Amino acid sequence: MHFIFRTLAAIAVTLSAWLNSASADPNAIAELYGRADGIASPQLSPTGTRLAIECAPNGLPSLCVFDLTGATESALLGLDSTYRLKDFFWTSDERLIFRFGVFERLQTQSGMREFEVWRAVSYDVKSGKSTMLMNDMRGMVDTSDVVSLLTQDPEKVLTLGWVYDGGATSGTIMPTQATGGWLPRTFAVNLKTGKSRKVETFPKHTAQVVFDQAGREVARHRRDTNLGTSTVYRGRTEIHSESDVDVRNLSLIALEESVGDLIVWIERGENRGLNYMSLRDGAISPVMIGDKRAGAAATIIDPYTGTLVGVEYGGEWDEQVFLIPELGQAKEAIEAAMPGKHLTISSWTADRNKIAIALAEPGRPADYFVYDAAAGTMGSIGSAGSHLVNRPVGNVISISYEARDGLTIPGFVTLPPGKTLDDGPFPLIVLPHGGPAAHDTAAFDWWSGAYAEAGYAVLRPNFRGSTGSTSAHHFAGYGEYGGKMVDDVIDGAAWAVAQGIARPDGYCIAGGSYGGYSALMVAARDAAQVKCAISVNGVTDPILRLAEFTPDSDTYNDYEALLGAGRFSDEASRVAIMPVRQVAAMTAPVLLMHGREDTRVPFQQFTRMREAAGNRPNFTFVELDGEDHFLQSTYARSDVLKQTLAFLKAHHPAD
């Protein structure tokens, strides 16, 4: 891979047209859209001499590291199917840290359990040597949480782990939640040797600790779910307190180094979204964008200064707004030269002169560049899907419709390549997203793209409970996990028929995670219209899923709020939201696929449904050996597409 530097205007003129026609062969479509060998998440080193980027030349997420000066050879940090890349960042021009997960079965105090174990590796660019961090603490489930780069000691980083206070050592298996006797502990870790040294252990019920760039504790958040209290301390001084808190409302994000206050997230009330909390007295004030509140947005924090430099909002696209001129002006300059492209800034150098960006169009894989602000030029890095660069893809259209109670539901319809709404009606597939606290955008989506190329119209509704819209839309999903959130999906299919987008003879529904749960519930509730249903890594027994969390933990309470606590008062209300109790109502063919190494939605959810279905001939069960929840590899995606496209062809053909 090499860089070709051209002016912005030249790139705008020479971008290729999309020429090739679509294929109708399901296996060919699966091979095409299942490919996960593109690039993503470019990260520039502090001076911009090196670039690390997620790549997958062998179909498995790995890392490619390039010397942009040409002085040294490029490197591929290949991961096999055992390891799943999570993220990566530079600590200096010479050292990169990357984190990965690996599936393990471990003995705990409550018996054998399945975990995704998280590890961090320090990679020395010059020597090519990789060192596992905290390699002397391998008994812990997560040794990868780097909380400070320790700017005063660049050969070390500060990590945070969890230990048990009941006589256990720091090697004890950590929990999935910070509750009970679990205590957070920090470790100073040598980047060359991977060895760790205990620094500090924090008190019981500590939920979060914020550190500055030198590794000093700035603030500590204590959450006692039994008492319903939430308290923030600066040292031993209490600066903020809430009572009668049954679900998590406050989260500490980071120290805003430039003003010396905390950036916090408030979940409910008039201050929902991003706020500052004074370290002097705990006073809350909103983060402002000009003369407006930032509100419900994600933070963009400069890794070199710890300063809040921007925010990101969900919507049709995830939109970035920058608070500093260097990044804001660069974004404006590129957008002016590349009309019709959606721009995302991924990383930048310490002087903010070189910026790694992504440019995308609806339904198309993003293209990546390095922008040199001083020269006004961009160097091409590559594409998230180079195999689709000169090929027509599905036509993504932003839509909205009214649910049966009048709530507006936004979403997207993807039509077959080259088709418009005037070419309808089409055979319909409804594809609700996972989460459920997530949202679909106009960006490239391999799953809906494949179905569109096979000849289907694909509806992706952002049902109530989704993020990326208003706070009211998000909170309307609480207590409606298996209720109105499911109705919204059914109403979307009816709307597509009324609009002439979908054929009136029925539809199929598919989804992963919560989307898989939704697919099963829709199959039971709209059986007269559902021709087939596909659930991949889906929840089948939400009551069992709730029981798997530690009682009164934040996660337990959050999940209970989504389900609706009132639904546990009688058997009928519980049955109403449980696919495992609704199998008799699912008369259409149903395909369930589940990763054997899924720890997000445990494999037991799949086996529970298989037991409930018994010998019913309309159910098909497929185990995905060696796969986890997120289908990151070419092998996982192409396998899911091959099997689901064959299933669709048998029960809901596009021709």
Side-chain angles (χ1 to χ4, degrees), residues 333-410:
I334 299 169
E335 288 175 333
M338 308 292 288
K341 306 286 184 182
H342 180 266
L343 182 145
T344 302
I345 293 179
S346 297
S347 65
W348 51 89
T349 54
D351 62 8
R352 299 170 186 161
N353 190 48
K354 291 186 174 64
I355 301 169
I357 66 167
L359 291 173
E361 295 176 275
R364 301 206 67 88
D367 296 306
Y368 295 93
F369 302 87
V370 173
Y371 172 62
D372 187 319
T377 60
M378 288 205 302
S380 174
I381 304 171
S383 172
S386 58
H387 53 291
L388 295 173
V389 165
N390 294 319
R391 184 182 192 88
V393 295
N395 180 15
V396 178
I397 302 168
S398 177
I399 59 94
S400 65
Y401 59 90
E402 277 195 7
R404 63 191 67 180
D405 63 355
L407 184 68
T408 298
I409 308 298

Side-chain angles (χ1 to χ4, degrees), residues 18-228:
W18 320 119
L19 302 175
N20 296 344
S21 61
S23 167
D25 177 52
N27 283 335
I29 293 171
E31 294 289 349
L32 187 69
Y33 282 85
R35 286 176 59 175
D37 56 357
I39 59 174
S41 305
Q43 299 295 312
L44 286 163
S45 67
T47 66
T49 57
R50 291 188 170 89
L51 176 79
I53 194 163
E54 183 179 327
C55 58
N58 59 354
L60 298 168
S62 301
L63 273 176
C64 291
V65 182
F66 300 97
D67 186 334
L68 303 187
T69 69
T72 59
E73 292 292 323
S74 301
L76 169 65
L77 306 180
L79 300 179
D80 64 29
S81 60
T82 305
Y83 305 100
R84 299 173 178 112
L85 182 67
K86 299 299 180 182
D87 54 26
F88 49 97
F89 55 92
W90 295 94
T91 64
S92 69
D93 281 314
E94 313 301 334
R95 192 170 293 278
L96 181 74
I97 291 178
F98 64 91
R99 306 195 306 160
F100 64 86
V102 60
F103 178 82
E104 290 188 11
R105 294 181 179 87
L106 300 171
Q107 182 66 44
T108 71
Q109 293 175 328
S110 57
M112 292 295 295
R113 289 184 58 190
E114 296 178 342
F115 293 91
E116 183 177 38
V117 175
W118 283 52
R119 301 287 180 245
V121 171
S122 169
Y123 174 69
D124 187 310
V125 175
K126 284 189 174 180
S127 69
K129 182 181 179 182
S130 297
T131 304
M132 186 86 72
L133 299 185
M134 292 186 71
N135 51 34
D136 49 353
M137 293 289 179
R138 298 295 298 277
M140 298 176 70
V141 168
D142 189 352
T143 58
S144 71
D145 189 8
V146 177
V147 293
S148 176
L149 297 184
L150 298 179
T151 52
Q152 297 176 341
D153 190 355
E155 292 190 353
K156 294 185 175 67
V157 293
L158 191 72
T159 64
L160 184 71
W162 296 86
V163 298
Y164 198 71
D165 71 345
T169 68
S170 59
T172 300
I173 296 301
M174 64 164 276
T176 55
Q177 301 297 320
T179 63
W182 293 100
L183 310 177
R185 175 178 291 174
T186 50
F187 302 83
V189 186
N190 189 294
L191 292 172
K192 292 183 178 180
T193 67
K195 303 299 181 184
S196 63
R197 174 180 57 82
K198 182 182 74 173
V199 177
E200 186 174 0
T201 301
F202 297 91
K204 186 183 293 187
H205 299 297
T206 298
Q208 295 174 285
V209 187
V210 174
F211 303 89
D212 65 15
Q213 292 188 305
R216 296 181 292 255
E217 177 192 344
V218 173
R220 175 170 49 86
H221 183 200
R222 184 183 189 275
R223 283 233 340 114
D224 190 328
T225 54
N226 293 317
L227 297 178

Side-chain angles (χ1 to χ4, degrees), residues 242-377:
E242 299 176 11
S243 58
D244 298 322
V245 179
D246 57 349
V247 293
R248 177 170 36 195
N249 186 51
L250 174 72
S251 298
L252 311 186
I253 297 176
L255 171 69
E256 164 58 282
E257 296 273 359
S258 65
V259 299
D261 288 336
L262 295 174
I263 305 171
V264 302
W265 173 272
I266 295 176
E267 180 63 14
R268 293 168 178 79
E270 62 180 3
N271 291 323
R272 183 173 190 263
L274 296 176
N275 292 271
Y276 291 119
M277 177 183 287
S278 169
L279 282 170
R280 297 174 296 282
D281 58 10
I284 299 293
S285 60
V287 173
M288 304 295 292
I289 307 293
D291 60 352
K292 296 182 179 179
R293 289 174 177 264
T299 57
I300 305 174
I301 296 175
D302 191 303
Y304 311 109
T305 64
T307 298
L308 181 72
V309 296
V311 298
E312 185 171 87
Y313 294 96
E316 184 171 342
W317 292 94
D318 289 338
E319 295 285 353
Q320 296 174 321
V321 178
F322 288 97
L323 310 179
I324 59 171
E326 299 98 321
L327 297 178
Q329 291 169 5
K331 184 173 184 287
E332 291 176 2
I334 299 169
E335 288 175 333
M338 308 292 288
K341 306 286 184 182
H342 180 266
L343 182 145
T344 302
I345 293 179
S346 297
S347 65
W348 51 89
T349 54
D351 62 8
R352 299 170 186 161
N353 190 48
K354 291 186 174 64
I355 301 169
I357 66 167
L359 291 173
E361 295 176 275
R364 301 206 67 88
D367 296 306
Y368 295 93
F369 302 87
V370 173
Y371 172 62
D372 187 319
T377 60

